[in-house]
Amino acid sequence: MTKRIKHLQTLVLLGVIITLFIGCNNEFIELDSDIISRDIATNFDIDSIEYEVVAYNLPLGPVRTNGLPINHIGFYEDATYGKSQYNFVTQLSPSSFDPNFGDNVEIDSVIFYMPYFSTLDGTDDLGNNKYIVDSIFGDGPIDITIYENDYFLREFDPGGDFDERQVYYNNQSTSETDFISDELLEGTIIHDTTNFEVSKDPIFLTDAEGDTTQTLQPGIRFKLDTLFWHNKIIAKQGSPELANSNAFNNYFRGIYLKTETVDDKGTLIGLNLQNTLANITIYYTSDISEENEDRLQFTYDINFFGNQVNFIKNEFGNIIPVGDKETGDERLYLKGGEGNIAGIRLFPGETEDDNSILEAFKNNFAEYENGEFQTSKKLINEARLVLYVDQQLVSGNEPDRIYLYDLDNHQPIADYATDVLVNAIPRLSLSSHLGVLEREGDTPDGDGIRYILRVTRHLSNLIERDSTNVKLGLAVSANVNIENGADQGEVQAIDDSENLVPLSSIVSPRGTVLFGNASSDPETRLKLQVFYTCIRDNGDCDN
């Protein structure tokens, strides 16, 4: 036992030393170096081994699109997967209930404002704020119609348990058999605009003299018809309809934003509804009392709050093949929304002498007694999956991130928890475990080359803690931070589809095609690569 303890201590110390040297370098395939090499450290070896995996396509049925962290409107066209139209319905919530608007109310204006996702990027020569806009795809005009929604977005499922939330799916359904008609969503037209184009410039609000009074982030901003809002809101002063949220939601069931393309082109717009200024504002004047002869100016805000659902219509065709779970697929088709994910099985099958490949892997890296882990024979420095983009099928606009997770239990794997979350820059978050897409020329718009997904802790747990060798899932991701503690979204069961999918995949419109384990080109074939350190004197360096 003393020998085993010393063996383990040596490996751990060696691992710490190597980690200190390679920790500053994200790419360390060439572990032999002038710092640590076989010539300098002659009592241990640094080597690697590859294991076959099985990766296969998994189709998705309609996905849950209520309660999403990000919503979109507009039109998205993917060169590989086709076209998608995004519409959006939301309930509303007044800033206060049972309002007193005063007497002789006159509405000056009603303003609709939905900001984009953007970050401040300094100021221009005049001192005006500049912004970098995010979550905007495409640059073509779209038509936007805002309707009064006549469909009641219920909070709970009447067919489920008492506290079971109602699920709404991207195909305008609440179940496999119940669909929401366009007629119910498209009530009175509140606003209609054609050839709307996204502007990335800030919005300047001015007074009567033309002086700037406020600067808003870039976004959708419309002036709405005042008569509708007078009849719908102002005229209901003192009535039960404005008394509380339940009465209001039954009376005014929200708005529905429907989009159409212009000349078969368009733009997809991410909506930043968490912005506190995202609302409909009624500007009005009234006589607040008989004693005060001067009319006063007021505002009444109606917020985009409550049930919110994205409806997504896809025109995919038959591009996504049926996956082969036994031998794997040549290509993995990943698409957000109601799209496609992939499954991955590590250490599938048996060795030539009919032993489990998983057990052979574990015995190669550790010693066991009565099935219990005793000591390491090899120390895993890094384990990773490298996925290459099929650039012949993907022509740009690939997702920067893809998400690897425990497909059996629908949760992140151990490496997710040990990596660093970067909330300020989600694109760079968890980049050790879930590597950012490498692009040609290392430019944001370069063609995608490959993703490197590190599973070092996951494999160490298989060895040391006898963790279950779960199936892994692979999906595109709009923001890998979303998966931190979040439940996955429901999927309507269709044939052999999965029943849950990561939220960050639902909210991503993007898609890509990756080479799988059955790729005809060995250079692009998906494998599991394990880099390790071993003690040469103990004879543990033989694969």
Side-chain angles (χ1 to χ4, degrees):
M1 181 63 72
T2 301
K3 179 180 178 182
R4 286 176 178 168
I5 293 175
K6 289 182 178 179
H7 185 139
L8 179 60
Q9 288 175 337
T10 302
L11 276 174
V12 170
L13 178 60
L14 197 54
V16 171
I17 294 172
I18 292 173
T19 301
L20 289 175
F21 280 116
I22 65 180
C24 296
N25 188 355
N26 290 329
E27 182 64 62
F28 51 89
I29 296 177
E30 299 297 334
L31 291 177
D32 260 354
S33 67
D34 292 336
I35 299 174
I36 294 181
S37 70
R38 292 178 176 86
D39 295 332
I40 297 173
T42 57
N43 64 326
F44 68 89
D45 261 342
I46 301 169
D47 212 336
S48 66
I49 185 172
E50 290 185 346
Y51 291 92
E52 299 293 333
V53 302
V54 170
Y56 48 92
N57 289 288
L58 282 172
L60 294 178
V63 294
R64 174 178 182 165
T65 51
N66 61 308
L68 297 179
I70 304 171
N71 292 282
H72 298 83
I73 62 168
F75 174 81
Y76 184 81
E77 183 169 13
D78 188 289
T80 304
Y81 294 97
K83 303 171 184 177
S84 298
Q85 177 190 6
Y86 285 69
N87 300 321
F88 176 62
V89 61
T90 177
Q91 288 181 318
L92 302 173
S93 179
S95 55
S96 63
F97 292 103
D98 197 19
N100 178 14
F101 298 119
D103 298 322
N104 301 318
V105 177
E106 292 183 3
I107 295 179
D108 299 321
S109 62
V110 181
I111 303 298
F112 172 99
Y113 175 55
M114 280 187 174
Y116 311 140
F117 288 94
S118 60
T119 54
L120 186 63
D121 187 35
T123 58
D124 60 19
D125 295 339
L126 299 176
N128 298 316
N129 290 339
K130 297 189 301 181
Y131 294 91
I132 297 175
V133 177
D134 192 13
S135 300
I136 302 293
F137 307 92
D139 56 8
I142 57 174
D143 295 341
I144 303 176
T145 304
I146 304 176
Y147 295 92
E148 178 183 0
N149 168 41
D150 285 340
Y151 177 81
F152 182 71
L153 293 168
R154 55 180 178 261
E155 196 164 340
F156 297 100
D157 184 357
D161 295 334
F162 177 76
D163 59 348
E164 188 172 341
R165 309 282 293 187
Q166 178 64 62
V167 176
Y168 296 93
Y169 297 95
N170 69 281
N171 65 338
Q172 285 183 213
S173 71
T174 57
S175 69
E176 296 177 35
T177 56
D178 295 324
F179 290 83
I180 304 169
S181 68
D182 290 338
E183 288 75 13
L184 282 176
L185 292 169
E186 300 173 13
T188 303
I189 294 180
I190 297 175
H191 182 79
D192 191 16
T193 187
T194 58
N195 291 297
F196 176 82
E197 296 187 20
V198 169
S199 172
K200 300 180 181 180
D201 297 327
I203 299 170
F204 300 103
L205 305 185
T206 59
D207 57 21
E209 287 72 34
D211 297 325
T212 299
T213 58
Q214 188 178 3
T215 303
L216 302 178
Q217 293 175 228
I220 302 171
R221 190 171 186 271
F222 297 137
K223 181 176 288 188
L224 305 181
D225 176 65
T226 59
L227 180 60
F228 172 87
W229 295 95
H230 185 280
N231 295 335
K232 197 71 181 180
I233 302 297
I234 303 299
K236 292 296 180 178
Q237 176 177 261
S239 68
E241 287 87 341
L242 305 186
N244 55 62
S245 60
N246 288 334
F248 183 84
N249 286 333
N250 189 52
Y251 163 64
F252 194 175
R253 298 182 173 184
I255 58 172
Y256 175 56
L257 279 69
K258 183 176 182 179
T259 61
E260 299 286 349
T261 64
V262 178
D263 296 329
D264 215 24
K265 302 290 183 182
T267 301
L268 185 66
I269 304 169
L271 304 174
N272 183 8
L273 301 181
Q274 300 303 315
N275 188 308
T276 57
L277 297 179
N279 56 35
I280 297 169
T281 302
I282 301 175
Y283 295 86
Y284 68 95
T285 58
S286 69
D287 300 326
I288 198 65
S289 67
E290 294 182 358
E291 291 78 15
N292 192 336
E293 296 181 358
D294 295 330
R295 292 178 61 79
L296 300 179
Q297 295 181 329
F298 301 94
T299 61
Y300 188 66
D301 293 333
I302 302 175
N303 302 307
F304 308 119
F305 182 79
N307 276 323
Q308 298 175 335
V309 190
N310 248 144
F311 295 130
I312 311 170
K313 299 179 180 179
N314 298 317
E315 298 179 9
F316 284 170
N318 297 317
I319 183 68
I320 302 174
V322 176
D324 188 333
K325 295 184 178 181
E326 296 301 317
T327 62
D329 294 330
E330 183 175 3
R331 292 177 177 83
L332 305 177
Y333 292 79
L334 304 184
K335 178 68 173 72
E338 183 190 354
N340 203 68
I341 60 175
I344 299 176
R345 290 193 290 121
L346 305 180
F347 310 110
E350 298 177 342
T351 62
E352 293 181 357
D353 51 0
D354 296 330
N355 292 321
S356 164
I357 291 179
L358 174 62
E359 292 304 314
F361 159 74
K362 294 171 65 173
N363 291 327
N364 188 22
F365 279 80
E367 292 182 4
Y368 297 85
E369 186 172 300
N370 297 323
E372 296 292 328
F373 171 81
Q374 298 298 307
T375 185
S376 296
K377 295 192 292 186
K378 298 180 176 71
L379 182 68
I380 296 179
N381 303 320
E382 177 180 294
R384 65 188 192 174
L385 297 165
V386 182
L387 295 117
Y388 288 89
V389 177
D390 186 345
Q391 294 185 356
Q392 291 186 341
L393 291 183
V394 178
S395 55
N397 213 24
E398 306 99 311
D400 285 321
R401 311 301 298 275
I402 56 177
Y403 174 55
L404 186 73
Y405 62 100
D406 177 347
L407 185 62
D408 289 339
N409 299 294
H410 307 288
Q411 64 186 16
I413 63 174
D415 296 80
Y416 188 102
T418 57
D419 206 350
V420 179
L421 280 167
V422 183
N423 292 318
I425 313 176
R427 181 183 175 275
L428 302 181
S429 191
L430 300 162
S431 57
S432 179
H433 166 41
L434 304 169
V436 181
L437 174 64
E438 297 176 12
R439 295 180 180 271
E440 290 185 354
D442 198 25
T443 59
D445 56 352
D447 290 337
I449 300 173
R450 66 177 185 174
Y451 302 89
I452 296 178
L453 309 180
R454 294 178 175 88
V455 292
T456 309
R457 177 56 57 188
H458 180 69
L459 262 60
S460 295
N461 286 348
L462 292 179
I463 295 170
E464 299 173 12
R465 301 181 181 180
D466 196 28
S467 298
T468 303
N469 183 28
V470 296
K471 294 191 295 292
L472 302 178
L474 189 66
V476 301
S477 177
N479 180 346
V480 294
N481 290 353
I482 291 174
E483 307 305 332
N484 184 28
D487 293 332
Q488 295 193 356
E490 290 91 335
V491 181
Q492 278 187 23
I494 293 181
D495 299 327
D496 197 23
S497 68
E498 287 298 302
N499 60 354
L500 291 172
V501 68
L503 286 181
S504 65
S505 179
I506 292 177
V507 300
S508 174
R510 292 183 170 180
T512 189
V513 182
L514 309 173
F515 288 106
N517 66 287
S519 171
S520 58
D521 181 2
E523 296 298 319
T524 62
R525 193 173 297 157
L526 172 60
K527 293 185 179 70
L528 173 63
Q529 301 174 340
V530 182
F531 300 90
Y532 62 89
T533 301
C534 57
I535 304 297
R536 184 179 296 170
D537 296 342
N538 294 316
D540 290 335
C541 291
D542 298 330
N543 284 335

